[in-house]
Every structure is written in structure tokens, then in C-alpha cells.
Amino acid sequence: MNFTQQPNLINYFDQHWLSRRFAHYVNQIHLKTGAPIPMVVAILLVTFSESGQGAYDLKMPDGRRMPLGMYALIIALSGEGKSAVIDLARQAIVELEQELAEKYKADIKQYDLLFKIWKTHDEELTKEFRRAIRKNLSTDQIELQISAHQEAKPAKPRLVKLTYSKFTPEGLLTGMAEYWPYIGMPFDEASGLLNGRGGLDLPLFNRSWDGSPLNKDSADHQASITVNSPRMAGIFAVQPSEFDRYLTRCPEQARSVGFFARCITCRPVSNQGFRNMQQANHFTADLSEMNQRMRELMLASIAEDGQPAERKQLYFSVEAVNHLAEVGQTIESMMGSGGRLSNATDHGSKLIRNICRIAAALHLCEEKGLEISLGITRSAVDIAEFFSNEFLVMFDAHVKPPQAHKDAETLLVWLQDFAVKNGNRYIMRSDVTKLVTPGHLRKIEVLNPAIIYLQQKGSVGLYQQNELNYIDTSPLLPGDHFALQIAITMHRSRRRKRGGGAIST
């Protein structure tokens, strides 16, 4: 798949773009939650980048060193499964954070005891030093003792705090400075961030995404908080109405600060009403290997002394570098006048970096070496194009959905009504062509993309039997051969009543 010149109004996600293990994890989470595939992909990409951002950096094809952390902006209705997906994707991170917090409690208790003993010795040495000065005695020996005692000062253990879901900017930076500089921000409802104080501090997230040091005055302006090597990953999920409210309230700031241009963007069509909840309630996702891999990545960021470890550097193979150069040139040309990205140069200028980060996340899932392959890079380009189309459609018309989306939703309502009316989940494809309303949906150039779109998002299934094409309006349920035969019989009966000849497919 290559970047097209214009964004697709109907945006399909092809799971063949995904690498093998990553595709398995996406499918497992999708089956457990029923959440839209693109949303699962976006959240899982961010989570793998979060897991690895403390242990690795990424060497760009031009030689620059870049953080791995990704941001995802997800616009989805309440009940779409955002929280459930985030919980499954971040399970290993949450469990490790809890484990490290318990260890910290024991370590800080031991530290308090050792520090109390050390401080008592320190006070006595100080008294001896002052006594020697008052009596005009030599202080050489006591100075050596003081120096050695300072070297023996117990190191305060560091709390590894990995997750921030509620914070003020000052509180966030204080936590990163005092506790741990590599964090994740999982917002299953980010409206409070965008429409609250946090919406005014989006440039803070931009600097971290770029890998720049973070500085901010404390609340009382008496001191400055600094984080020299920050690493952030963030999932910012928000309901459509709240996001539209933010865009209406801050139309200039929304794009001008560049935050959304740094996000992979996803506004999936709702799956609600078509999910197999019986399956979700009884299905156990097979994520043990994923959780173990994320745990390994997180632990690799912690040195033996409990401090942040020195980060290694991922890099692209020669073939991958050459491919990225071609993709980068294509993106550059699309930012020119009349190009696909001409009205979204903010997004276009960050796109190659997001492609590289997607590739790094896939690589961390699949491999344990440092070199990112051409195959992984090609997958990242395809995935990035999908999310790029989502960005363009969303920000070009964030309130009014494209006509193609409207047509698909109108067709879905008709299919559901037709299925209920006939008491059968199966509908012959040619019956749709003849009977669907409104009439403009009968045009092949309108109907075919709409059916494929609904098939891609899991709302319907499109199958063939004996050269007869049919639609399943409940594709997540087990097949019903008896109901299908009834639907075929009814279809042929209608054809005969209309005086038709050969059965159309």
C-alpha cells in the first residue's frame, strides 16, 4: 500500500498490515472486548512504545536520536470499549508498577533506619570536628572520617511511578523529576484534560514527544522544576461531543500548538449493537507472552541501583532506510500546493517520525535485536497511512461526517430493518441492489464501498455460496445453515414473481 494523493473518505483497516505477533494480540483484545480494530491497534502501539521508551531510543535515518513514546488521539462513543482495551493492553505495566510500589515501601522503611543510623554518626563526627576547631587541634583525621562517612551515605530508593491519569502540569513534572522520568498517560476520558487546565499545557507534551528537556516554575514561583530526559506516551480518548466542544472552544489552539499533529488519530465507526457479548464474557484473551514482553522492556529501563538505565538505540536496516527515504520524499511532495497534505503540513511534517515510531513499536513486539527490518517498516507505513487519513478527515470536517460514512450508516440501518422484517439475518446481495432505500444507494459506485466498509468494521459479513453473494447482518454469531437456505429460497421466489431469468449475484 502506498500513500494516495487524496485521503479516502471511507477508510479501511487491513489487518494484513500488522506483524504476526502484534496481529495476534490485536485480535485477542478485539475478541475479548468487541472494540473496533483500529482503536485496539492505536492503543496497543502506544502501549508497546510506552513499555520500551525507557530502555531504548530510536536512531532516525538522518542520524537524529528520537524518543519512542507515541501519542494516540481516539474519538469514540461511551461504551465503545476504550477502558477495557486500555486495561488489557496495559495490564503488565500496571502490575509491574504495583509490584515496584510494594518493593519501594519495604526499601524506604529500610532506608529510613539506615539513614537514621548514618545521621547519628554524622552528627557525632560534626561535633568532633567543631571541638577540634575550638581547641585549635589538627582536623586532618576527622576530615578523612567525615569524607568517608559522606561516601557511605545510604541512597534513597526511587519510586518507579509509571502512570499518570490525573495531574496538574506542575504535579506531573514534579513526579517525573523526583520519581521516574518515563511515564504513560492513559486517558479513557480525556475531555477533562482538553477542556481543563491541561488543554493550555499541550506544548509541554510536544517538548517531551520531541525529547526536549521540560522546565516549569513551581506553583509559588520559588523554584523551577526540570526533567532533563523525559519520555512520555499517551492515550487520549474522548467522546465525539466533547472533542467537538474543544475544537469549537479553541479552534486556533487545537492545530496551532502542534499537539494533534503528533498523535496517531483514530475515530472508529461504532461497533455497538454488533458485538458478540456472549463471546466476550466467556473468552479469555491469550496475552501472556505480550505481558511478559512488556515486563521485560519495562525492567530493562531500571538499572541495578534502581536508577534509570542507559538507553540503547534501535536503528533501521539499510533497506528500511532507503524505503523511508522514498516515503519521506512522497510525503514532502504531498505537502506542496494541491497535494494531499497541503492543508495539513503540521501533520505531514511529523508523519515520517510517527512512521518510525510505529515501526519501533512493532519491532519491540516482534524482535529482541536492535535492527528494524524492511518488512516491519513497510507495515508501519501502511498503518500510518490509515491513521493519516483519519486525521485528515477528522480535522477537515470534525462535526459533519463524510457523505460516504453517512451512506454506509444509512445502508446499515436498512439492512437491519430488512433482516428484522424478514425474520432472517441473511440477505442476498442482489436483493439489496434492487430494494435498498434511498435509491441513490443502489448505484454500484455508492453501494459497493458502503458494503465493504461495513464488512471491514465488522458490522456485516459478505460471503458467497454457489455463486450467490449474500450479506450476514450478524457476522459475529455462529453460522446458521438453515436460515441461509430459507433466505436463498425466498430470494429465488421473489425473482420468479418478478419474472426474472437467471438469478443475479
Side-chain angles (χ1 to χ4, degrees):
M1 185 177 185
N2 296 312
F3 276 95
T4 52
Q5 192 60 31
Q6 295 297 330
N8 298 317
L9 294 181
I10 293 184
N11 201 14
Y12 311 117
F13 193 94
D14 188 342
Q15 293 187 61
H16 291 97
W17 299 334
L18 303 176
S19 55
R20 183 177 62 85
R21 284 194 182 92
F22 194 88
H24 172 71
Y25 301 147
V26 166
N27 189 54
Q28 293 291 296
I29 295 174
H30 169 67
L31 290 175
K32 179 61 180 175
T33 64
I37 290 290
M39 185 173 80
V40 177
V41 171
I43 290 173
L44 202 54
L45 283 171
V46 172
T47 308
F48 264 105
S49 77
E50 177 185 351
S51 300
Q53 66 182 349
Y56 298 94
D57 284 338
L58 180 61
K59 182 180 180 181
M60 293 289 287
D62 61 6
R64 287 179 297 166
R65 191 163 183 153
M66 185 177 71
L68 265 59
M70 298 173 61
Y71 298 156
L73 173 64
I74 298 170
I75 316 300
L77 294 169
S78 177
E80 204 64 65
K82 302 184 290 292
S83 299
V85 175
I86 291 172
D87 289 345
L88 284 173
R90 298 189 77 251
Q91 179 180 341
I93 298 173
V94 171
E95 289 178 353
L96 178 60
E97 187 170 20
Q98 292 172 346
E99 180 183 320
L100 293 173
E102 289 301 315
K103 182 178 182 298
Y104 174 79
K105 289 180 182 178
D107 290 346
I108 198 69
K109 187 175 181 179
Q110 178 67 12
Y111 164 79
D112 288 340
L113 176 61
L114 294 175
F115 182 77
K116 185 176 182 179
I117 295 171
W118 178 90
K119 188 176 181 182
T120 301
H121 282 288
D122 186 65
E123 290 171 350
E124 291 302 315
L125 287 172
T126 301
K127 290 178 182 178
E128 289 185 31
F129 183 71
R130 289 173 176 169
R131 189 182 303 116
I133 292 176
R134 285 197 305 269
K135 295 183 178 182
N136 201 26
L137 301 175
S138 173
T139 60
D140 292 347
Q141 188 63 33
I142 190 63
E143 286 178 9
L144 289 175
Q145 289 181 294
I146 291 174
S147 178
H149 185 66
Q150 291 299 318
E151 291 293 328
K153 183 177 181 179
K156 185 176 182 179
R158 191 162 187 170
L159 174 63
V160 181
K161 181 172 174 56
L162 304 172
T163 305
Y164 291 79
S165 56
K166 292 182 180 180
F167 54 81
T168 63
E170 295 85 357
L172 177 66
L173 291 193
T174 298
M176 294 179 71
E178 293 185 2
Y179 303 134
W180 203 246
Y182 314 139
I183 68 161
M185 299 175 290
F187 284 92
D188 55 2
E189 291 295 343
S191 59
L193 175 71
L194 295 178
N195 291 308
R197 272 196 61 197
L200 302 176
D201 287 277
L202 295 180
L204 180 78
F205 303 144
N206 294 352
R207 293 196 297 276
S208 181
W209 191 86
D210 295 335
S212 303
L214 302 180
N215 297 279
K216 193 173 185 66
D217 291 336
S218 60
D220 57 8
H221 298 281
Q222 296 299 311
S224 178
I225 307 167
T226 301
V227 183
N228 288 318
S229 189
R231 294 294 183 267
M232 287 184 183
I235 300 164
F236 304 93
V238 62
Q239 294 186 41
S241 60
E242 291 298 314
F243 185 68
D244 292 338
R245 182 163 74 91
Y246 170 75
L247 291 182
T248 301
R249 185 173 64 87
C250 307
E252 297 299 326
Q253 179 184 338
R255 290 289 292 275
S256 63
V257 299
F259 172 72
F260 296 127
R262 289 170 168 81
C263 296
I264 56 172
T265 304
C266 177
R267 190 168 187 166
V269 176
S270 176
N271 276 355
Q272 295 184 59
F274 302 95
R275 295 172 293 189
N276 187 336
M277 300 313 296
Q278 184 176 7
Q279 170 185 268
N281 290 333
H282 293 90
F283 179 77
T284 300
D286 178 18
L287 300 174
S288 57
E289 289 186 1
M290 182 191 84
N291 291 334
Q292 179 59 34
R293 177 56 176 156
M294 288 188 180
R295 180 183 176 87
E296 290 175 1
L297 291 168
M298 298 297 295
L299 288 174
S301 70
I302 307 173
E304 290 184 3
D305 62 358
Q307 299 300 310
E310 182 178 354
R311 293 186 298 273
K312 298 179 181 179
Q313 192 166 201
L314 302 177
Y315 62 92
F316 292 94
S317 69
V318 173
E319 298 81 4
V321 168
N322 292 334
H323 184 59
L324 287 170
E326 295 174 1
V327 172
Q329 187 59 53
T330 301
I331 292 172
E332 178 65 25
S333 66
M334 289 180 180
M335 289 193 288
S337 178
R340 172 179 177 269
L341 302 173
S342 59
N343 293 324
T345 55
D346 56 337
H347 166 69
S349 65
K350 310 295 186 301
L351 189 50
I352 197 68
R353 281 181 274 176
N354 262 330
I355 290 173
C356 291
R357 292 177 198 228
I358 291 172
L362 293 176
H363 173 82
L364 291 177
C365 174
E366 301 291 332
E367 306 291 343
K368 293 190 177 181
L370 297 177
E371 184 179 86
I372 302 174
S373 69
L374 174 61
I376 288 290
T377 304
R378 289 186 182 278
S379 294
V381 172
D382 290 334
I383 295 168
E385 180 175 7
F386 173 88
F387 290 123
S388 178
N389 283 336
E390 293 280 273
F391 178 94
L392 295 178
V393 171
M394 184 185 302
F395 283 98
D396 282 349
H398 67 274
V399 177
K400 181 181 178 181
Q403 184 61 45
H405 282 191
K406 291 183 177 180
D407 290 339
E409 294 302 318
T410 300
L411 173 63
L412 182 59
V413 171
W414 184 87
L415 289 171
Q416 293 170 332
D417 289 345
F418 190 86
V420 171
K421 178 181 177 182
N422 287 276
N424 198 313
R425 62 193 263 197
Y426 299 107
I427 305 171
M428 299 302 107
R429 169 69 173 73
S430 57
D431 283 344
V432 178
T433 305
K434 297 289 186 181
L435 303 174
V436 65
T437 56
H440 79 278
L441 290 176
R442 299 174 188 175
K443 297 178 181 178
I444 295 300
E445 63 272 20
V446 176
L447 182 60
N448 282 348
I451 292 176
I452 295 173
Y453 177 67
L454 294 176
Q455 181 189 24
Q456 289 284 338
K457 84 180 188 72
S459 299
V460 303
L462 181 61
Y463 308 102
Q464 186 180 74
Q465 178 170 300
N466 298 327
E467 298 185 354
L468 187 64
N469 294 316
Y470 65 92
I471 294 170
D472 183 357
T473 58
S474 300
L476 295 179
L477 297 179
D480 188 336
H481 179 73
F482 182 69
L484 176 59
Q485 292 305 312
I486 292 176
I488 292 174
T489 300
M490 291 180 62
H491 163 73
R492 288 173 174 165
S493 175
R494 282 191 293 270
R495 291 285 296 168
R496 284 193 295 270
K497 289 180 180 179
R498 290 198 298 265
I503 296 175
S504 169
T505 61

